[in-house]
Amino acid sequence: MQWNCLRSHLIVIWFSCLPLTSFATQPSPTPLKYFAQLPDVNGLSLSPDGTNLASQIRIDVDGTNGTAVQISNIKSGEANILLFSDNTQYFIDSVYWKDNRTLFVTTWYPSNRNTWLGMSQYRSKTRENRLLIIDTHTGAVSSPYSSSYLRKFKILPTDLSYVLDTLPSDPDHILFSSASIQRQYPWYPLVHKLNIKTQVKRVIQRPEQHVYDWMTDQQQRVRVGFWGDEEKKATLIKNVETGKWDRFWPYEDFSADQVIAKGFDKDPNILYINAYHNDLMAVFRVDLRDKNLTRELVYADEHYDVYGWLVYSNLTGEVIGIGGATNGSTRFFDAEYRALQNGIDKALPDTRNFIYSVTDDGSRYLVFSTGPTESGTYYLGSRNPTSLEPLAYRYKQLPPDILASVERIEYKARDGLTIEGFLTTPSDRPKKDLATIIFPHGGPVSRDSKAFDYWAQFFTSRGYAVLQMNFRGSTGQGLEFRKSGLKKWGKEMQDDIEDGALALIERGITDPNKICIAGASYGGYAALMGVTKTPDRYKCAISVNGVSNVKELVIDNRAFWATYNIIEEMIGDDLAELKAISPSYHADKIKVPVLLIHGELDRQVPIKHSYQMRDALEKAGKDVTFIEQPKEDHYLANEANRIAAFTAMDAFLAKHLPVNATPVVNAP
């Protein structure tokens, strides 16, 4: 179809999200595609002067489907599409402003490397990251690097998207970090000062062996190097007076000595760090002029690790808060912003409300509001006059009144460890003897929270209770809890998941004869391991992009030049034990139907894991359904593939774990 026609349709899609009023009653059950579609609107950000709004929007017009980058004028409402992807050739990751005219877009796509090196062939399956630069006045799209520079590499760096510092006061330049060249091959990263209009660049920070990342201060100087070898990690900090680099805070993986530099205050000698406090990660302030590097506690949570990001004042440059708290919204230190946050939380009391994208003069800002039954609403805030106006719904077909409530629960694992869980139950059925989906998270270096989850809400819309849990080894609950999952794949980590099912049975919530286990990535592994280890507990299993051969996973992550491998530290290195916790070696033990879904181009968990599981199940004469998704990576980022995956899961569950078709309306 013609571009102008597409553009006119999309403007209607954007502004049809307004105003925030009542919703029409949805049919029951809610159509599957409403859960499986990509977000209608995502990643909104204000230009520094507050006149324009950048966003990613979902496209579904006359057979054209994908994601677009759109610019909207706040005052006039005029909108323009600047970039479109059909989510097959590449995927749009993030969109953010450099200045009032220039927009940066990070993209990624799976690729295959096949390069002749003279005496050998280099083959690799990669995930490529690229930066696109958009002039919002002309619509021109460019790359930060010239083709002549890229030809200097025999093997191109996979990440060419990393803007270290946007240099907002310099319209022509950015600080760009990427792999350096050593003998025509990628090596440790350097930092260029790059002219985004001419592609002319100069090195301002040369690579250093074992330094895998850099950080600038607020004076746009490269001040921190993140250093690590096979045994330890440390922080390199450049002294602003002497120019000398010093090494601080060495630590080993999974050590209480871990320190992570977060960023500098306006004073270039004040550095904020993450470090452990009472077994939980907290935020501290350190004065680098202090020879003792005394740590001043800035913010800690009583129950959870604090990571997040530093929030800066655009007016003063000072650190005024910590964003992305595990439990809650931004924690402001600044009294004025704290009052603003409190006012918004009072107006929107049942959600987590994040203030972000504040204009240079502080007069306008965006708020993203989300929660268990709030799929995400964006608001435009103004401080003079005071106002908070809804802009768009992230999923406009998933309003709060059709979403199911989420309850935080706790239960004891069989060894006495307390496990945090989140239970989503259908609102139209009594919370008793429910068919249940056990739904462990991926990672496993990750966690679930009391937040909107489109997978869980989809399952619940079909009449199932859904239990998500933070089994041992999950992040966010302190060092000892994290370490308790080391080398526990298929063992205690798996027991924690089953113990969640047992807890729901004991409480009368779950019918013991109607439980399915499902998950993606590590969660897919846990689903397969669940029906392998306890074949009589579950009635079916769903694995999406899941690991099936832990032995191969560890071997594939080994490097011949290294004596230490963090994957082996996390999972183990005894090949016999790894085989024992690999479902693909034990398909004969499985008694229930299995659904396998895997992306053809998955770079996180190669599709061979599902191939091996399918072949093993078929050889053992088991009931297995395998769906290979073309041109799909690990994240179900293509909408057609996501809808296909959810359709397959819906049909599979309806066949193997049917629920009562007649719900009890207004059930207690």
Side-chain angles (χ1 to χ4, degrees):
M1 65 184 299
Q2 292 185 348
W3 181 258
N4 288 338
C5 180
L6 176 63
R7 185 175 66 180
S8 65
H9 276 78
L10 295 173
I11 294 170
V12 172
I13 288 174
W14 169 252
F15 286 102
S16 67
C17 297
L18 298 172
L20 188 63
T21 55
S22 61
F23 300 94
T25 301
Q26 297 289 342
S28 183
T30 303
L32 174 150
K33 67 179 182 179
Y34 291 173
F35 298 97
Q37 288 172 346
L38 297 177
D40 292 294
V41 182
N42 195 29
L44 273 67
S45 62
L46 280 171
S47 60
D49 62 5
T51 60
N52 290 302
L53 192 66
S55 61
Q56 298 177 55
I57 62 172
R58 173 179 169 268
I59 307 301
D60 189 7
V61 179
D62 296 344
T64 299
N65 185 279
T67 303
V69 175
Q70 177 173 278
I71 303 297
S72 306
N73 184 277
I74 297 292
K75 186 175 182 179
S76 69
E78 180 183 355
N80 289 289
I81 300 299
L82 300 180
L83 186 70
F84 172 76
S85 171
D86 64 0
N87 293 328
T88 59
Q89 299 302 312
Y90 69 92
F91 301 92
I92 296 172
D93 184 28
S94 63
V95 178
Y96 60 102
W97 295 91
K98 168 178 168 48
D99 51 41
N100 293 315
R101 178 168 180 161
T102 306
L103 200 63
F104 290 153
V105 180
T106 59
T107 67
W108 61 275
Y109 58 93
S111 181
N112 291 305
R113 295 293 184 87
N114 190 354
T115 305
W116 176 248
L117 302 178
M119 297 295 291
S120 63
Q121 199 83 0
Y122 173 80
R123 292 186 177 92
S124 179
K125 294 181 178 181
T126 63
R127 183 179 290 124
E128 309 284 340
N129 298 280
R130 298 291 183 265
L131 178 72
L132 299 177
I133 302 172
I134 301 179
D135 184 328
T136 60
H137 290 190
T138 66
V141 180
S142 61
S143 166
Y145 275 147
S146 65
S147 58
S148 61
Y149 174 77
L150 299 179
R151 283 196 296 268
K152 294 180 180 179
F153 290 92
K154 278 189 176 181
I155 301 174
L156 199 65
T158 57
D159 189 356
L160 290 170
S161 67
Y162 186 16
V163 179
L164 189 65
D165 198 312
T166 62
L167 303 181
S169 60
D170 183 345
D172 294 339
H173 294 90
I174 59 174
L175 299 186
F176 195 93
S177 180
S178 67
S180 59
I181 301 172
Q182 188 179 70
R183 298 177 182 176
Q184 296 182 297
Y185 297 98
W187 201 54
Y188 291 98
L190 51 66
V191 180
H192 283 129
K193 186 171 185 178
L194 177 67
N195 189 309
I196 60 174
K197 297 176 180 177
T198 66
Q199 297 180 321
V200 173
K201 63 193 178 308
R202 65 180 178 88
V203 175
I204 66 165
Q205 176 59 57
R206 297 192 177 279
E208 296 287 344
Q209 190 168 16
H210 300 304
V211 175
Y212 54 88
D213 197 5
W214 301 99
M215 177 190 290
T216 59
D217 61 17
Q218 290 200 63
Q219 289 72 36
Q220 285 78 51
R221 298 171 296 195
V222 178
R223 289 285 310 286
V224 170
F226 296 90
W227 181 94
D229 64 9
E230 295 178 16
E231 297 181 356
K232 288 183 179 290
K233 292 183 173 64
T235 304
L236 304 183
I237 302 177
K238 191 174 186 178
N239 188 299
V240 291
E241 295 180 358
T242 66
K244 179 184 176 183
W245 287 93
D246 295 308
R247 185 177 301 180
F248 298 95
W249 305 303
Y251 68 92
E252 297 179 353
D253 290 319
F254 310 110
S255 164
D257 297 327
Q258 182 179 17
V259 171
I260 304 170
K262 298 182 69 64
F264 290 88
D265 211 332
K266 184 178 181 180
D267 182 338
N269 289 298
I270 302 299
L271 179 68
Y272 286 79
I273 62 171
N274 270 128
Y276 282 106
H277 173 72
N278 296 332
D279 190 55
L280 293 166
M281 191 62 76
V283 179
F284 295 84
R285 181 190 294 112
V286 175
D287 189 331
L288 299 175
R289 293 163 295 198
D290 176 6
K291 292 182 179 181
N292 296 320
L293 296 178
T294 304
R295 301 177 187 180
E296 177 188 350
L297 182 63
V298 173
Y299 178 64
D301 189 288
E302 185 179 356
H303 303 290
Y304 297 101
D305 291 322
V306 176
Y307 288 101
W309 55 88
L310 298 180
V311 179
Y312 292 91
S313 167
N314 289 339
L315 295 174
T316 68
E318 296 173 320
V319 175
I320 58 173
I322 302 292
T326 301
N327 185 30
S329 52
T330 304
R331 296 292 189 254
F332 285 107
F333 317 138
D334 178 86
E336 187 177 354
Y337 273 94
R338 190 163 56 243
L340 178 63
Q341 180 75 57
N342 291 340
I344 292 171
D345 290 343
K346 185 176 181 180
L348 305 170
D350 299 321
T351 52
R352 295 174 66 187
N353 308 303
F354 297 91
I355 301 171
Y356 76 105
S357 196
V358 182
T359 57
D360 282 346
D361 63 4
S363 64
R364 282 182 167 179
Y365 56 89
L366 295 179
V367 173
F368 179 65
S369 180
T370 186
T373 58
E374 168 57 83
S375 61
T377 301
Y378 292 94
Y379 296 85
L380 176 63
S382 174
R383 304 185 74 173
N384 188 20
T386 301
S387 65
L388 189 66
E389 300 176 0
L391 283 174
Y393 307 122
R394 192 161 180 254
Y395 293 91
K396 63 183 179 182
Q397 301 289 359
L398 297 177
D401 58 352
I402 69 167
L403 298 179
S405 61
V406 182
E407 175 188 0
R408 182 187 179 277
I409 66 170
E410 289 184 351
Y411 61 89
K412 293 290 186 180
R414 61 195 66 183
D415 63 358
L417 184 67
T418 299
I419 303 298
E420 178 185 53
F422 300 93
L423 177 64
T424 309
T425 53
S427 57
D428 58 358
R429 300 169 188 270
K431 198 160 61 173
K432 180 180 179 182
D433 292 330
L434 293 169
T436 300
I437 308 293
I438 302 299
F439 187 43
H441 62 70
V445 185
S446 181
R447 66 176 289 102
D448 278 318
S449 64
K450 192 177 179 181
F452 169 75
D453 186 301
Y454 67 90
W455 289 71
Q457 291 291 342
F458 164 68
F459 291 138
T460 305
S461 76
R462 269 49 193 165
Y464 302 101
V466 180
L467 177 64
Q468 301 165 273
M469 75 294 294
N470 292 319
F471 44 82
R472 70 190 69 202
S474 299
T475 57
Q477 292 176 243
L479 178 61
E480 289 307 311
F481 191 84
R482 175 73 185 90
K483 289 169 64 177
S484 68
L486 294 178
K487 300 180 182 178
K488 303 300 184 183
W489 281 46
K491 303 173 186 176
E492 287 90 337
M493 289 169 70
Q494 194 69 41
D495 294 340
D496 293 346
I497 295 168
E498 187 196 10
D499 289 342
L502 294 173
L504 295 188
I505 293 170
E506 183 179 355
R507 298 175 193 187
I509 296 170
T510 290
D511 183 337
N513 297 310
K514 286 194 172 184
I515 309 175
C516 185
I517 184 168
S521 193
Y522 176 85
Y525 163 78
L528 296 174
M529 195 63 200
V531 293
T532 301
K533 187 174 183 178
T534 52
D536 296 317
R537 176 64 57 207
Y538 307 103
K539 294 302 179 184
C540 57
I542 300 172
S543 172
V544 180
N545 298 331
V547 174
S548 75
N549 191 329
V550 182
K551 177 183 172 182
E552 280 198 17
L553 176 70
V554 171
I555 292 173
D556 288 347
N557 280 277
R558 285 177 174 170
F560 70 87
W561 62 85
T563 58
Y564 172 80
N565 187 335
I566 193 170
I567 297 296
E568 293 182 2
E569 181 73 15
M570 294 170 62
I571 304 175
D573 58 3
D574 184 295
L575 296 185
E577 288 191 7
L578 296 176
K579 186 176 179 180
I581 59 170
S582 296
S584 61
Y585 288 101
H586 307 284
D588 59 305
K589 298 178 181 178
I590 296 175
K591 300 179 180 180
V592 299
V594 174
L595 172 62
L596 303 171
I597 302 172
H598 216 118
E600 170 198 11
L601 302 178
D602 192 338
R603 298 301 185 247
Q604 205 86 0
V605 179
I607 195 173
K608 68 178 181 179
H609 284 269
S610 285
Y611 287 158
Q612 291 179 17
M613 195 69 217
R614 174 202 59 191
D615 294 346
L617 287 166
E618 289 180 347
K619 184 178 180 180
K622 306 298 181 177
D623 185 346
V624 58
T625 302
F626 174 61
I627 297 174
E628 180 174 341
Q629 297 204 299
K631 298 183 179 180
E632 184 61 72
D633 196 352
H634 191 66
Y635 304 107
L636 295 181
N638 177 281
E639 184 171 281
N641 283 331
R642 185 178 292 188
I643 291 174
F646 274 54
T647 301
M649 290 190 290
D650 196 30
F652 180 81
L653 289 170
K655 180 178 180 181
H656 300 294
L657 197 75
V659 297
N660 181 3
T662 306
V664 180
V665 181
N666 298 323

